[in-house]
Amino acid sequence: MNRSKAPLALMGQLLMVLFFALAAAICLQAFAKSETISQRSADRDAASLLAQNAAETIKSVHGEMGRASALLGGSVKDGTWTFRGDASGRYAENGAYRVLAERIESGEDGLGRACVRVFDAAENEIVSLICSWQEVLG
């Protein structure tokens, strides 16, 4: 009896195609996940830049939110400065990010502090930082 080796070769080819399909599916998932990670990183970079700009402005005006608002834009309500910013880290009336800055107690004489938080369009907090400056004691 002479048996053909064709079924064995066909099975080997089928296993190679299955392995290739599995490897391709894993690569596609990794590629899709990298896009999500890249977007999240870009959001964090823009939010960090907005928070830093706000914090430096607050420090330069010694925590006077009204003066900070006059310099960068936005509005002040009940001592809380709010403005919107874009992906380039600048003030933009219809920006994708909302920045909220408010003074907080430092517990030390002569030390002023503020908390700056940045939110995305879905109101998820992306970045939060505390800034401090020296107050003039009189």
Side-chain angles (χ1 to χ4, degrees):
M1 286 200 195
N2 197 359
R3 290 200 150 175
S4 171
K5 294 186 182 184
L8 189 60
L10 186 61
M11 188 177 290
Q13 297 252 334
L14 188 61
L15 283 173
M16 284 191 287
V17 168
L18 183 64
F19 178 76
F20 177 76
L22 183 63
I26 290 171
C27 287
L28 284 174
Q29 282 182 341
F31 183 72
K33 183 72 174 173
S34 72
E35 176 64 29
T36 303
I37 292 170
S38 176
Q39 183 60 47
R40 210 177 301 145
S41 178
D43 284 344
R44 196 171 32 250
D45 288 347
S48 295
L49 188 56
L50 282 165
Q52 289 172 353
N53 287 343
E56 291 299 327
T57 302
I58 291 168
K59 286 168 36 176
S60 73
V61 297
H62 300 284
E64 293 181 32
M65 297 302 178
R67 286 178 57 200
S69 173
L71 289 171
L72 281 188
S75 63
V76 178
K77 182 178 180 185
D78 297 328
T80 301
W81 175 32
T82 306
F83 70 95
R84 298 198 75 79
D86 61 12
S88 66
R90 290 189 225 119
Y91 172 79
E93 197 168 307
N94 297 324
Y97 306 98
R98 184 172 67 94
V99 181
L100 192 102
E102 57 191 346
R103 286 188 72 141
I104 56 175
E105 288 297 319
S106 68
E108 299 287 332
D109 288 341
L111 182 68
R113 293 180 79 190
C115 178
V116 180
R117 298 181 301 170
V118 182
F119 300 89
D120 63 10
E123 290 301 315
N124 297 316
E125 187 174 308
I126 303 172
V127 172
S128 174
L129 62 86
I130 304 290
C131 64
S132 301
W133 60 92
Q134 189 173 356
E135 299 272 25
V136 177
L137 296 176

